[in-house]
Amino acid sequence: LKSQLSPHFLFNSLNTISSLVHSNPKKSELFIRKLANMYQFTLNSYHSTLISLEEELNFVASYQYLLETRFENKLKVEIQVSEELYQTQIPPLTLQMLIENAVKHNTMDLNNPLHVAVYVEGNYICVKNNITEIPKNKTSFHIGLKNINTRYLLLAKKGISITNGTIFLVKIPIIR
């Protein structure tokens, strides 16, 4: 999972910083700090098989800020996870990759924004998004989803669940 942090993400982040530097210096400074937090987390968790859900959610908060700054009103990410689950375990970058997939595989505009929700349902953490138009020239080999599933089969002895219809929903088992 860690090796799949998209190189395009860094490129797009640098372009966003470039556009913010002159128009909104304070926002560009915060953006740079959030980006640095993300890469520090990636380096620190590189050898970890599992981390706490709280650590992953803190990482995702930085990622969410970067995405929402870049896409403005075209993207809304909503996370509703009870603090009671913060000490459960998750493979690093799992939620980030699922959110990244939603962004990668959907076009967004003001008339057709992308909505991503992270919530708990039973013994699963769910990541759900509406489906918009598929971007042109995007091919998916579902490697990210396959890697997440493989890790869950190894670590939790349960695979992930994927629903692809009017919405795209991935359910990942909660590891206690």
Side-chain angles (χ1 to χ4, degrees), residues 14 20 47 50 56 86 102 118 167 176:
L14 293 173
L20 286 174
H47 295 291
L50 292 168
E56 177 79 358
Y86 280 11
V118 179
I167 54 117
R176 298 188 186 269

Side-chain angles (χ1 to χ4, degrees), residues 127-146:
V127 180
K128 176 176 79 171
N129 63 272
N130 59 315
I131 296 175
T132 67
E133 185 179 323
I134 297 169
K136 292 172 179 56
N137 302 323
K138 285 283 181 179
T139 305
S140 177
F141 300 104
H142 304 288
I143 294 170
L145 291 174
K146 287 176 187 172

Side-chain angles (χ1 to χ4, degrees), residues 8 20 37 47 59 70-71 82 89 107 124 141 144 176:
H8 295 285
L20 286 174
N37 288 344
H47 295 291
F59 171 74
R70 179 175 169 217
F71 292 109
S82 168
Q89 302 289 295
T107 58
Y124 294 89
F141 300 104
R176 298 188 186 269

